[in-house]
Amino acid sequence: MIRNYFKIAFRRLQKNKLYTFVNIVGLTTGIASCLLIGLFIINEVSYDRFNANAGRIARITMQYDEGGKQKVALSGTKAGPQIQRTFPQVEAFVRIIDNSRIVKYGNEVFTENRFLYADSSFLKVFSFPLLEGDARTALNAPNKVLISQTTAKKYFGSTNAIGKTLIINDTKEYLVTGVLADAPENSQIKYDFVASFTSLDVSKTEEWWTANYTTYLLLKDKNQLNGLQAQLNDYMRGVSKSELHLEANSPLLYNLEPLLSVHLYSQLDGLELNGNINTVYILGVIALLILVIACINYTNLATVQSTMRSAEIGIRKVLGAQKSQLFRQFIGESFLLTLMSLIAGVVVAYALLPYFNHATGKVLSFHLLMQPLPLCALAALCILIAFASGSYPAVVLSSTRLTSILKAGVRLTSSGGMFRKSLIVFQFGISVCLIIATIVVVQQINYIQKKDLGYDKEHVIVLPIGQKAREHYEAIKTQISLLPQVTSVSGANATPTFVQWSDGLNGDFGKGKVSLSIKALPSDIGFIKTMGMKIIAGEDYTENDLKLADTTDNYKNFRYAFILNESAVKALGLTPQQAIGKKVEKNFPGEIKAVVKDFNFSSMHEPVGPLMLFLDRNFTNYIFVRVHGNDIPQAIASLSQLWQQQVPSRPFEYHFLDDYYNKLYVSEQRTATVFSTFATLAILLACMGLFGLAAFTTVQRTREIGIRKVLGANVRSIVMLIANDFLKLTLVAVILASPLAWYFMHKWLQDFAYRIDIKWWIFIAAGGISVLIAFLTVSFQSIRAALANPVESLRSE
């Protein structure tokens, strides 16, 4: 019997090729979308769960209030060891700092960006498999380094890496003491090298305030976190302010974040950019909605098609078929179609995975789905879709009375018509929401890219430098400035796109002492000019300002020359003109030389805050070269040649400043790509369903169209006759979806300090696009019907 059900179902699908094509393509698209997004969600929610101690690990973040509450995901060197010494709940700690290093082996020299320094407890706290070496001694002394499996092959091929020596930054020899398995994709900590923390000079001292290190605690019991947090707060309030280097009214607190909540829930990025739980929710909803659209298509088409199955159903009932048997027959058709779509969906998802990885920036593997639990979930999904999409038409067809079928065939009731119309409104409403969301996201990204940042990011080449190059900085800078393609050159500790250095600035301007927590950017002469910034009061740095940095006689005569931004001056209670010449202090005294117009030195998710620039070449990490825009390739070639002469120990590498800027918004750009892709899929699926419905509606109204043509109706009137009902439903979908889309996109934009306003025309455009697409979809079938010979239409009827 079951075999017979499937045989009939297969023949039915084969006979109705349009119906089968629309449904299989729709369900395949929905299932493939669910699988791809499912892989993404699995990756996001599984972050760091591979660690055996994941539930007992907490990250330390620092909070201080000095001219405004500040939070960072970093801490000083003292936080980890002191907390372990003080609180018995803590079993171990590990401090980590990531750096870029020049690594040399033999004649090979590489710039390595995933170079970590970590305490010897690194392998105790985290579960990164050590493939070769001894975990107890691998990082227990200075100048020891672990390397990843991929790095071992890169440097040493198939030979044993243990005991080999690497030259780091052309100054120190590091002994390879072990080979680690490559870090998993779903890990916040990703590495190519892990060197011993004791290799750093800062390991010899402990300070609360010098916050450059990511610190993790391993607790003895995961349930001790909340209690430890309360005790830690009390303890930090009791630490002397002189030891913390803070003012008396400025507490320093440490907060504990469970490792498993950091990636999706923390507002503070750590060793890599965090994800966002809202992104997970949004993508999950999008996948579900696309699948729902495909199911709606099936339900609508199967229900409408039932009018063409009068003879089949009537004969079955005359021959004694029970309601339950008919129900199983039609559900069997749904299950067969869903099974075919599931197989096709898996194949399509596998084929599209590389493109999806590129769009999301992930390295997802399809083998995650080839586990028992996901396979069971796929089977459950197949059954769920079959019943969700096939149950309504199966009930309609199996419940129709025999007398009604023999008298008038299968007819759709008015209540059924309302149900179908509701489904069309729902699926087009989803499409409209996604179109509006895509337009808003794209507009926000365009706004970010075109907004006046307060500096000119175009045609600026950024050259990272290390200690060796820093020793010859002045000579390198002079040689670069002589190149004909160069208009300006300077250096700084960080790019103006993302300044992380936090500092304190103190002053007394006649109304009591003012203390300000402020971002700081050590820079060189010419930085303002090279970046195209605007000074609104005072004057730029000169050579005389460098002479103020007198380090002789134990810094007795050392003075700073500061340039503050508008926000910093305002926070000090001064106007730009009043600020010039005022005495302020940052460890050493100095005076405000100029005020620069505010510029965005971090993501536009955050408002511009106080910032100070001060002259100090000792912290220079980047050389910035502004070049003529008409011959950039030649400028790069000239810089490369000069670099090989001046800095032979370091490979020539460069970036453009606008690339650094764009990296701040990678997440938004990926969101735009994902939204636009799935919005397109949603509208295509909705149109496919509409196309199929229009085809069946046209067949049903063949006699009516023929009579109208005989009575003189033209093509336009017949097209509008058929299209009118569908266009009304599309307009209803636009009206209902627009407020919902506005609400969610308004909430999304609140995450940006600088954002667009959602204009009224966006909703008109989204509605117009939807109506136009719906009209074109329906018109294809309508025009065919309108052009048909009415004689043939009436004869066939």
Side-chain angles (χ1 to χ4, degrees):
M1 180 65 73
I2 295 176
R3 180 183 175 187
N4 187 52
Y5 284 158
F6 278 100
K7 184 186 293 185
I8 295 172
F10 185 77
R11 288 174 179 172
R12 186 74 195 176
L13 296 176
Q14 210 172 19
K15 180 180 178 182
N16 296 283
K17 292 182 174 59
L18 175 63
Y19 161 82
T20 304
F21 174 80
V22 169
N23 281 304
I24 287 182
V25 170
L27 289 174
T28 296
T29 303
I31 291 169
S33 300
C34 280
L35 291 178
L36 291 174
I37 292 177
L39 284 173
F40 177 88
I41 292 174
I42 289 171
N43 176 268
E44 288 290 284
V45 300
S46 66
Y47 247 74
D48 298 308
R49 294 184 183 276
F50 65 89
N51 287 291
N53 301 320
R56 297 194 288 132
I57 301 174
R59 184 180 74 169
I60 297 177
T61 65
M62 191 168 79
Q63 174 183 319
Y64 55 97
D65 191 350
E66 199 174 54
K69 185 174 290 186
Q70 306 287 330
K71 293 182 179 180
V72 293
L74 302 171
S75 57
T77 53
K78 190 169 184 175
Q82 184 64 18
I83 290 173
Q84 184 188 25
R85 287 191 292 262
T86 307
F87 300 101
Q89 301 98 311
V90 179
E91 180 178 329
F93 71 90
V94 59
R95 296 163 295 183
I96 301 174
I97 182 171
D98 60 328
N99 290 278
S100 175
R101 290 288 186 263
I102 302 299
V103 180
K104 181 179 181 182
Y105 179 71
N107 296 323
E108 298 287 338
V109 181
F110 299 96
T111 300
E112 299 290 356
N113 294 317
R114 299 205 304 184
F115 197 107
L116 308 183
Y117 288 90
D119 284 300
S120 58
S121 54
F122 178 77
L123 294 177
K124 177 180 180 181
V125 175
F126 299 104
S127 303
F128 297 111
L130 184 64
L131 304 179
E132 299 177 39
D134 186 345
R136 295 170 300 176
T137 60
L139 297 174
N140 67 347
N143 302 337
K144 288 186 173 184
V145 65
L146 299 171
I147 61 177
S148 69
Q149 190 174 16
T150 298
T151 303
K153 292 178 181 177
K154 173 182 173 180
Y155 280 85
F156 309 113
S158 58
T159 61
N160 186 13
I162 304 295
K164 297 291 194 303
T165 299
L166 298 172
I167 309 298
I168 309 299
N169 278 359
D170 209 28
T171 55
K172 290 185 178 180
E173 293 185 354
Y174 279 64
L175 180 68
V176 178
T177 55
V179 177
L180 291 165
D182 291 343
E185 166 63 20
N186 58 347
S187 172
Q188 295 177 51
I189 302 171
K190 295 185 174 68
Y191 52 77
D192 291 318
F193 298 81
V194 182
S196 54
F197 195 81
T198 52
S199 307
L200 301 172
D201 292 338
V202 294
S203 66
K204 300 178 178 64
T205 59
E206 292 184 1
E207 294 184 359
W208 290 109
W209 179 246
T210 309
N212 295 313
Y213 312 95
T214 304
T215 305
Y216 296 91
L217 301 178
L218 177 63
L219 307 183
K220 294 178 180 178
D221 187 334
K222 65 180 180 180
N223 298 318
Q224 296 174 329
L225 183 64
N226 292 334
L228 177 60
Q229 179 68 74
Q231 295 178 39
L232 182 57
N233 289 342
D234 293 337
Y235 176 81
M236 292 306 299
R237 291 188 181 98
V239 179
S240 67
K241 303 306 174 184
S242 59
E243 183 180 350
L244 296 176
H245 299 292
L246 292 172
E247 296 299 316
N249 60 347
S250 304
L252 178 93
L253 298 176
Y254 284 110
N255 297 315
L256 304 179
E257 294 182 335
L259 177 69
L260 295 180
S261 69
V262 170
H263 179 69
L264 289 178
Y265 296 94
S266 178
Q267 299 299 312
L268 302 174
D269 292 321
L271 294 169
E272 72 166 18
L273 295 176
N274 286 340
N276 190 315
I277 189 62
N278 290 328
T279 301
V280 172
Y281 291 147
I282 289 171
L283 287 178
V285 169
I286 287 174
L288 180 62
L289 291 179
I290 288 177
L291 193 58
V292 167
I293 289 176
C295 292
I296 287 173
N297 283 348
Y298 180 90
T299 302
N300 271 335
L301 292 176
T303 305
V304 172
Q305 198 200 22
S306 64
T307 60
M308 303 174 65
R309 304 183 71 170
S310 302
E312 176 192 349
I313 298 170
I315 292 171
R316 285 177 176 275
K317 282 184 172 282
V318 167
L319 293 176
Q322 300 296 316
K323 179 179 177 180
S324 59
Q325 291 176 311
L326 290 172
F327 182 84
R328 287 196 295 271
Q329 169 64 41
F330 299 128
I331 280 293
E333 290 181 15
S334 177
F335 180 78
L336 177 61
L337 191 142
T338 304
L339 182 62
M340 294 165 63
S341 300
L342 178 65
I343 295 170
V346 171
V347 173
V348 170
Y350 182 80
L352 294 179
L353 185 58
Y355 303 98
F356 186 74
N357 281 338
H358 177 74
T360 58
K362 294 287 186 180
V363 186
L364 305 175
S365 174
F366 214 74
H367 82 272
L368 288 174
L369 294 178
M370 299 298 107
Q371 308 297 325
L373 185 60
L375 289 175
C376 290
L378 281 177
L381 179 66
C382 179
I383 296 171
L384 178 64
I385 293 172
F387 274 92
S389 56
S391 57
Y392 176 74
V395 169
V396 169
L397 293 171
S398 62
S399 300
T400 307
R401 291 184 178 181
L402 177 59
T403 54
S404 300
I405 295 173
L406 295 176
K407 182 179 180 180
V410 177
R411 296 294 178 186
L412 301 178
T413 63
S414 58
S415 60
M418 183 58 68
F419 178 72
R420 292 192 309 280
K421 290 176 181 178
S422 300
L423 293 181
I424 292 172
V425 170
F426 182 72
Q427 65 179 177
F428 263 93
I430 294 170
S431 302
V432 171
C433 281
L434 290 175
I435 291 171
I436 293 171
T438 300
I439 294 174
V440 171
V441 171
V442 170
Q443 273 201 316
Q444 177 64 17
I445 291 175
N446 288 337
Y447 171 77
I448 288 170
Q449 292 174 337
K450 296 177 181 178
K451 183 181 180 295
D452 181 10
L453 303 174
Y455 62 89
D456 183 3
K457 59 181 171 49
E458 305 297 329
H459 307 142
V460 177
I461 299 173
V462 184
L463 306 176
I465 64 172
Q467 182 59 42
K468 276 286 185 180
R470 199 178 294 123
E471 293 172 0
H472 307 285
Y473 167 75
E474 185 61 30
I476 296 170
K477 178 184 173 183
T478 301
Q479 290 296 316
I480 291 175
S481 65
L482 296 176
L483 295 176
Q485 300 88 4
V486 174
T487 61
S488 177
V489 58
S490 186
N493 171 259
T495 69
T497 60
F498 193 50
V499 177
Q500 290 184 289
W501 184 313
S502 295
D503 219 312
L505 192 68
N506 304 311
D508 190 340
F509 313 116
K511 297 181 181 180
K513 190 173 182 180
V514 179
S515 297
L516 181 64
S517 177
I518 191 170
K519 293 293 184 180
L521 181 58
S523 54
D524 188 21
I525 295 171
F527 181 75
I528 299 292
K529 176 185 175 183
T530 303
M531 292 297 110
M533 297 173 180
K534 183 179 179 182
I535 291 178
I536 58 177
E539 297 178 350
D540 200 355
Y541 290 127
T542 64
E543 292 290 339
N544 289 332
D545 295 313
L546 275 177
K547 297 176 183 178
L548 294 175
D550 182 4
T551 60
T552 61
D553 198 13
N554 198 26
Y555 288 80
K556 180 179 180 181
N557 299 312
F558 188 93
R559 297 291 184 273
Y560 277 120
F562 295 106
I563 293 180
L564 305 185
N565 70 348
E566 293 173 287
S567 295
V569 169
K570 183 178 180 180
L572 291 173
L574 303 170
T575 66
Q577 289 70 27
Q578 291 172 339
I580 304 305
K582 288 292 191 293
K583 306 297 181 183
V584 289
E585 182 177 328
K586 185 195 86 70
N587 299 327
F588 294 95
E591 81 174 30
I592 301 173
K593 182 172 178 66
V595 177
V596 68
K597 182 179 176 61
D598 274 349
F599 64 91
N600 290 88
F601 55 84
S602 63
S603 165
M604 286 194 190
H605 290 281
E606 305 169 12
V608 174
L611 174 77
M612 67 176 174
L613 285 77
F614 61 93
L615 276 179
D616 198 326
R617 291 174 171 174
N618 294 323
F619 296 103
T620 300
N621 290 327
Y622 301 95
I623 295 176
F624 302 94
V625 184
R626 180 169 292 280
V627 298
H628 296 293
N630 53 3
D631 199 5
I632 292 179
Q634 182 58 48
I636 294 172
S638 299
L639 286 170
S640 176
Q641 185 178 4
L642 185 150
W643 191 267
Q644 292 170 13
Q645 296 171 358
Q646 296 289 326
V647 196
S649 61
R650 184 183 182 104
F652 175 72
E653 57 177 333
Y654 69 93
H655 305 277
F656 289 100
L657 185 58
D658 53 1
D659 290 337
Y660 282 96
Y661 179 76
N662 292 334
K663 284 181 181 178
L664 296 176
Y665 307 102
V666 168
S667 176
E668 287 73 22
Q669 290 167 348
R670 289 171 180 163
T671 299
T673 301
V674 170
F675 266 49
S676 59
T677 300
F678 288 111
T680 303
L681 286 177
I683 199 78
L684 285 176
L685 288 178
C687 288
M688 287 178 65
L690 207 58
F691 181 84
L693 281 175
F696 285 113
T697 301
T698 303
V699 171
Q700 279 190 313
R701 302 180 73 171
T702 299
R703 178 185 296 176
E704 177 189 352
I705 293 170
I707 293 172
R708 286 179 179 272
K709 287 199 69 176
V710 169
L711 294 175
N714 57 26
V715 173
R716 177 178 172 277
S717 63
I718 292 175
V719 169
M720 292 308 300
L721 171 72
I722 297 174
N724 215 26
D725 290 339
F726 293 111
L727 295 182
K728 287 178 182 177
L729 296 176
T730 307
L731 285 172
V732 171
V734 172
I735 293 169
L736 295 178
S738 294
L740 194 63
W742 178 89
Y743 173 78
F744 284 112
M745 295 319 296
H746 177 75
K747 293 275 289 183
W748 181 77
L749 287 171
Q750 298 310 302
D751 195 36
F752 294 87
Y754 305 94
R755 52 185 177 265
I756 63 168
D757 293 323
I758 303 179
K759 304 293 186 182
W760 60 268
W761 64 262
I762 294 176
F763 304 97
I764 301 297
I769 292 170
S770 300
V771 171
L772 178 62
I773 292 174
F775 179 74
L776 292 175
T777 303
V778 175
S779 295
F780 179 81
Q781 292 292 345
S782 304
I783 292 171
R784 282 185 61 188
L787 293 176
N789 188 338
V791 176
E792 294 296 328
S793 301
L794 294 174
R795 179 184 298 165
S796 64
E797 287 289 322

